[in-house]
Amino acid sequence: MWSQNASLSGGTLSLAGISAAQLAKEFGTPTFFLDEGAYRARALAWHNGLQSEFGPQAGTIYYAAKSFICTAVAQWISEIGIGIDVCTGGELAVALAGGINPAKIEVHGNNKSVAEIDRAVSIGVKTIVMDSLFEIERVAAAARKHGVRQGVMLRLTPGIEAHTHEKISTAHEDVKFGFSIASGAAWQAVQAVAEHPELELRGVHCHIGSQIFGVEAHEIATDRLLAFMGKYRDSYGAQLPELDLGGGFGIAYIDGEVTVEPSDVLPAIGAAVRAACAKYSLDIPVISLEPGRNIVGPTMFTLYEVGTVKDVELEGGTVRKYVSVDGGMSENARTALYDAEYTAVIAQRASAAPHVLSRLVGKHCETGDIIIANIQLPSDIAPGDLIATPATGAYGRSMASNYNHVPRPPVVAVKDGKARVIVRRENEADLLALDVKE
Ligand code: LLP
């Protein structure tokens, strides 16, 4: 749950040698603290792991920007040499601001605007992943306009029920994403692309869901997509060069969960690819993956300050301690949206007090503003205590809102005893900046 350079001893949480109390004093709360060394190590582990499984030229890790992106992180990605998956024009703009080479950018999205497509084609992104027949026509039109041959992939739905929350499961049949293999829509898309010489079909893609443990779902997807590539080769006489298996690799949020490491899954994916290639008489294609959560999730914690504490008597006489912190559902929407689970510690002191049933809540005007529904916390927790929730790097700051006009927190990167702001805190001027006065 905690990142590799975080340590908890004697009740004091530190990151890369700086205590939580010092961090809070310098940067305020709530704040996302990002373990830069851990981020770089996790990104590199995926990159190296993929290369050692499939060979040096054999694939690309496209970091899923939606999990968290800012200009500094885009610069790190560029330095590390991996690619990026963006799913909107906004994410594309940040990737470019961070200096990522368009040849390492893959563009996703089920409803890319004509303007987004035009920009992506005009700057020469590596691939645009097709999600509808309309889009095939739109990308072809943009390629003709710019006089280029655009690399594209097809997002396929292989009909897999991944065991994860319904709202983050993406590859069963009844979803908005991709072309269904079973219904024939995928094959229709192949034929539609083939009618456009300005499109180069580079391969097929799937993303089966998020926060997935185990490799079974990826293994089944591998077999179904390679069967599809076999059918393509039989009809068109040439093999598609690339297979992109998406992201979705799970991380630990609470005790008892274990973060998936690249070395846990890549050998099994490698074996599944080799087996299916043998079965369908295919050469091993270039294999790409798009981990987001698994890279950034474990590398951040959110630091809050406790503002109020209230004992609330429940039916039957049980008491629940409501611990209110200075953030909430605006910077951690995941509990409200997905019943996500987190853990928390007091970050600046040890406590010998007994642990009691508690609920960590935010400052928003809403009952559902819950960060952790049920947690045992020391009974002496009090205003002024610092609370840290680990593993908030993915879909935390990236899904933050301004609900109740609460300014979104900053992101501070910490490395080798030095901390620096990479996304600054919003302020009152930011909150008013878009309002037009009568
Ligand atoms: N590739 C594609 C095409 C995706 O749609 C996604 C995530 C990813 C890669 C990265 O998935 P990851 O490796 O991060 O699991 N907001 C939700 C997660 C939504 C994921 C959407 N797509 C959450 O907070 O759990």
Side-chain angles (χ1 to χ4, degrees), residues 141-430:
R144 279 195 300 278
K145 175 180 159 193
H146 294 285
V148 295
R149 190 153 189 252
Q150 178 62 51
V152 298
M153 293 184 96
L154 296 176
R155 178 165 182 167
L156 306 187
T157 34
I160 294 167
E161 305 277 346
H163 295 286
T164 186
H165 192 284
E166 190 195 338
K167 284 188 197 153
I168 55 175
S169 168
T170 47
H172 47 294
E173 291 293 333
D174 188 7
V175 286
K176 68 172 180 170
F177 295 110
F179 298 100
S180 156
I181 298 178
S183 74
W187 195 250
Q188 221 188 325
V190 163
Q191 291 165 327
V193 171
E195 283 166 19
H196 292 292
E198 60 277 30
L199 300 180
E200 181 198 347
L201 185 58
R202 293 198 46 79
V204 290
H205 165 279
C206 72
H207 172 76
I208 51 186
S210 205
Q211 184 64 352
I212 293 170
F213 294 94
V215 285
E216 207 194 335
H218 283 96
E219 286 170 343
I220 299 170
T222 300
D223 183 76
R224 293 194 186 162
L225 266 66
L226 284 167
F228 190 85
M229 283 172 70
K231 181 177 172 187
Y232 180 93
R233 189 266 332 275
D234 293 346
S235 300
Y236 288 89
Q239 186 180 327
L240 294 172
E242 190 170 343
L243 171 65
D244 188 330
L245 293 168
F249 307 99
I251 65 164
Y253 285 98
I254 53 171
D255 286 327
E257 292 181 334
V258 180
T259 295
V260 172
E261 296 302 333
S263 57
D264 298 332
V265 287
L266 288 172
I269 291 176
V273 166
R274 284 185 284 275
C277 285
K279 190 165 148 193
Y280 306 114
S281 307
L282 292 165
D283 296 330
I284 308 277
V286 167
I287 303 293
S288 303
L289 294 172
E290 304 164 342
R293 184 195 317 268
N294 192 270
I295 292 178
V296 72
T299 70
M300 288 195 220
F301 63 78
T302 313
L303 194 63
Y304 301 100
E305 186 179 310
V306 175
T308 71
V309 176
K310 191 186 281 180
D311 284 337
V312 174
E313 202 173 310
L314 312 178
E315 257 177 67
T318 320
V319 170
R320 194 198 322 266
K321 197 177 277 298
Y322 273 77
V323 178
S324 297
V325 294
D326 45 2
M329 66 193 299
S330 56
E331 95 295 309
N332 187 347
R334 298 193 67 258
T335 306
L337 277 174
Y338 318 118
D339 299 317
E341 291 182 291
Y342 287 88
T343 187
V345 295
I346 298 182
Q348 93 293 3
R349 68 177 175 97
S351 167
H355 281 58
V356 293
L357 178 66
S358 308
R359 176 166 283 180
L360 193 68
V361 297
K363 63 178 285 155
H364 295 277
C365 222
E366 182 154 330
T367 307
D369 174 28
I370 295 171
I371 301 169
I372 305 179
N374 289 306
I375 182 168
Q376 295 284 327
L377 287 172
S379 61
D380 64 353
I381 196 160
D385 274 332
L386 297 174
I387 295 252
T389 52
T392 54
Y395 308 106
R397 182 61 178 75
S398 75
M399 289 172 63
S401 75
N402 284 127
Y403 183 41
N404 295 150
H405 281 61
V406 170
R408 288 177 299 174
V411 181
V412 173
V414 186
K415 187 166 184 274
D416 303 331
K418 293 201 180 75
R420 65 185 198 285
V421 173
I422 57 170
V423 178
R424 75 156 167 80
R425 187 183 302 284
E426 276 180 334
N427 55 35
E428 204 174 291
D430 294 321

Side-chain angles (χ1 to χ4, degrees), residues 52-101:
S52 66
E53 188 59 41
F54 294 101
Q57 301 304 320
T60 305
I61 295 295
Y62 294 97
Y63 170 64
K66 70 205 80 180
S67 57
F68 174 71
I69 194 68
C70 65
T71 307
V73 168
Q75 286 173 309
W76 304 348
I77 288 166
S78 177
E79 282 163 34
I80 296 164
I82 59 173
I84 193 162
D85 134 22
V86 298
C87 70
T88 61
E91 288 179 359
L92 177 61
V94 183
L96 295 175
I100 296 180
N101 182 344

Side-chain angles (χ1 to χ4, degrees), residues 9-40:
S9 85
T12 297
L13 172 66
S14 301
L15 181 56
I18 313 182
S19 73
Q22 270 172 276
L23 290 171
K25 195 166 162 217
E26 190 172 345
F27 299 101
T29 56
T31 294
F32 289 94
F33 289 100
L34 168 54
D35 182 340
E36 179 177 345
Y39 184 96
R40 289 175 180 270

